[in-house]
Amino acid sequence: MYNPSKVSGAIAEFHSDLTAIRRDIHSNPEHAYKETRTAAIVAERLTAYGVDEVHTGIGGTGVVGVIRGARGHGVGTRNVGLRADMDCLAMSEETRLPYASKNQGYMHACGHDGHTTMLLGAARFLAKSRDFSGTVYTVFQPAEEGLAGAKAMMDDGLFTRFPIDVFYGLHNAPWVPLGSMAVRVGAMMAAADRIEITIEGKGGHGGMPQFVSDPILAAAHVITAIQSIASRNADPADSVVVSICAMEAGVMNTYNVVPREVKMVGTVRTYRKEAQAMVIEKLKLIVENTAAAFGSTGRVNFIEGYPATINHKREAELAAEVGRSVFGPENVITEIFPNTGGEDFSYFLEAVPGAYIWVGQQCEGNFPIHHPKYDFDDRIIPNGAGLLAAIAQHELQG
Ligand SMILES: [Zn+2]
Ligand SMILES: [Zn+2]
């Protein structure tokens, strides 16, 4: 019988190997759909660890390692998916670490180097122990940062080629204490959508306003009015964010010309489809009618991004239960607010049940994700890898 508290101990025996892999990937970050070197390392390591099959080139650079249980697999058994993301961000590193990025303008500032390494650790353990019935699919995806690598793998037949019944993934969390993990039932991350607003008026002389339809005045009212969506239309117990993040109007060294047009872009964050639909409807009403009231024409273009990451009840509770053995009963946080960031693991959770977990790395002197001085904390590798492996074993006890 497996013992989850011993899994991370077993993985800790190859902690130094895993740390070397993590730092090598960190030095050589690769951006969305260009993770060829990283994918090659993953495929090479999986083969060396003795997994049954390694499949590459799924959804671009995605890799799947297949590990079958020694206690039977195939018909009548279950299949667990474990996921890591491999891509970096297009930003410059300022850590001055000995293993800092060698690719100018690219950096592992979200810790995906660590996620890839932890899943390799889990694969190494599972391929050796095989103390389960069923199959574990270790899924290494491209392009999590904004370019939907998870969806690309699905569109390339991930679930038909690998019949995953239940899916788990994790992310390092500099907002959760080191040595702890957090998981909750329901929303973990928000839907992250983009909005583009255009207000078209009639430009003209800034000193003769009676002859123009001022789109800047209309835009000012639109910006103010759309904040009423979160404060007056959303249920106060729900969370809705509408942010205008950039605008373009007129020419800075021309002080006396009212422009013809104002453009704005921003983001909308919601946790529920109903809230998202409400925001789309209210935005359209406010932009079109407010602009019209000022003699301009307003248009909104709503571009859906990643859906909200919604944990399934059974799987979130199972992850917490296994986590109590791995991290210690007092180190599993289930009372935590969801986060308004986006995450494309959400596509997997819309397709099959599963859970997304935060592994804490908050401590003195540590930087947030997407910061030029951020670094993944190698100390969390054994517990993160151990958690994934132990969850798979727990699911596949037959
Ligand atoms: Zn990120
Ligand atoms: Zn990330």
Side-chain angles (χ1 to χ4, degrees):
M1 201 50 189
Y2 90 109
N3 180 345
S5 60
K6 289 198 175 147
V7 178
S8 42
I11 291 172
E13 285 175 25
F14 39 90
H15 194 178
S16 60
D17 284 3
L18 293 171
T19 301
I21 293 171
R22 205 285 292 182
R23 294 181 178 189
D24 175 56
I25 296 173
H26 189 90
S27 296
N28 298 279
E30 293 173 305
H31 200 230
Y33 298 112
K34 297 195 180 85
E35 306 92 339
T36 49
R37 182 183 184 277
T38 312
I41 291 169
V42 166
E44 186 274 325
R45 284 290 88 203
L46 289 173
T47 306
Y49 298 155
V51 309
D52 297 289
E53 293 168 23
V54 178
H55 300 264
T56 58
I58 303 159
T61 47
V63 181
V64 175
V66 182
I67 308 165
R68 298 195 184 93
R71 296 200 267 122
H73 51 83
V75 181
T77 60
R78 280 161 62 77
N79 305 319
V80 174
L82 302 174
R83 169 274 207 168
D85 37 16
M86 301 188 290
D87 60 317
C88 74
L89 285 154
M91 60 185 279
S92 294
E93 180 160 351
E94 294 172 14
T95 64
R96 297 166 171 264
L97 288 164
Y99 53 87
S101 170
K102 290 190 265 189
N103 296 347
Q104 186 53 40
Y106 294 95
M107 174 191 180
H108 269 295
C110 205
H112 299 183
D113 47 348
H115 305 163
T116 298
T117 304
M118 288 192 284
L119 187 51
L120 283 174
R124 179 166 169 179
F125 174 84
L126 291 167
K128 186 159 179 264
S129 86
R130 298 193 185 250
D131 183 18
F132 55 87
S133 64
T135 303
V136 177
Y137 296 106
T138 55
V139 178
F140 298 81
Q141 71 155 85
E144 191 285 321
E145 298 285 359
L147 291 168
K151 188 163 183 304
M153 289 189 84
M154 285 169 68
D155 293 345
D156 202 11
L158 179 72
F159 288 118
T160 44
R161 292 174 66 184
F162 311 103
I164 292 166
D165 296 311
V166 61
F167 223 142
Y168 292 89
L170 58 73
H171 204 290
N172 75 94
W175 58 92
V176 172
L178 181 69
S180 299
M181 58 160 269
V183 65
R184 69 192 298 278
V185 175
M188 284 292 279
M189 310 284 283
D193 302 318
R194 176 186 163 97
I195 48 173
E196 298 170 350
I197 297 173
T198 308
I199 313 280
E200 200 184 326
K202 195 173 121 204
H205 200 300
M208 302 177 194
Q210 70 274 34
F211 301 124
V212 307
S213 291
D214 182 358
I216 291 184
L217 180 63
H221 282 268
V222 165
I223 292 167
T224 308
I226 59 180
Q227 288 312 321
S228 68
I229 299 173
S231 69
R232 303 289 88 177
N233 301 126
D235 186 319
D238 198 3
S239 292
V240 168
V241 178
V242 182
S243 292
I244 298 297
C245 300
M247 63 189 294
E248 210 175 78
V251 179
M252 277 309 281
N253 57 8
T254 305
Y255 77 99
N256 57 0
V257 174
V258 172
R260 188 178 61 86
E261 193 178 70
V262 176
K263 286 187 167 173
M264 299 183 268
V265 294
T267 188
V268 172
R269 305 287 159 122
T270 51
Y271 295 115
R272 297 180 313 116
K273 295 267 185 216
E274 296 81 358
Q276 184 193 48
M278 180 275 288
V279 174
I280 295 173
E281 187 204 327
K282 295 291 177 189
L283 265 178
K284 194 167 161 1
L285 274 172
I286 291 172
V287 171
E288 289 178 4
N289 293 307
T290 306
F294 288 89
S296 293
T297 308
R299 286 189 307 276
V300 190
N301 193 11
F302 194 93
I303 301 125
E304 278 192 44
Y306 296 164
T309 305
I310 309 290
N311 278 345
H312 295 244
K313 186 172 189 300
R314 173 192 167 276
E315 288 70 25
E317 286 171 352
L318 185 148
E321 187 193 332
V322 174
R324 284 182 196 102
S325 301
V326 175
F327 289 80
E330 66 289 0
N331 296 323
V332 175
I333 301 161
T334 53
E335 297 290 323
I336 192 166
F337 285 127
N339 179 306
T340 38
E343 165 61 67
D344 79 346
F345 190 69
S346 53
Y347 290 106
F348 293 155
L349 292 181
E350 284 192 336
V352 292
Y356 177 78
I357 303 142
W358 289 324
V359 175
Q361 67 161 39
Q362 179 187 53
C363 62
E364 191 73 25
N366 147 328
F367 289 90
I369 49 174
H370 292 209
H371 188 284
K373 290 191 171 152
Y374 165 87
D375 188 31
F376 175 84
D377 192 328
D378 290 312
R379 288 175 294 179
I380 75 173
I381 292 174
N383 276 0
L387 178 69
L388 291 172
I391 286 173
Q393 284 191 321
H394 192 98
E395 281 278 7
L396 300 176
Q397 285 308 295

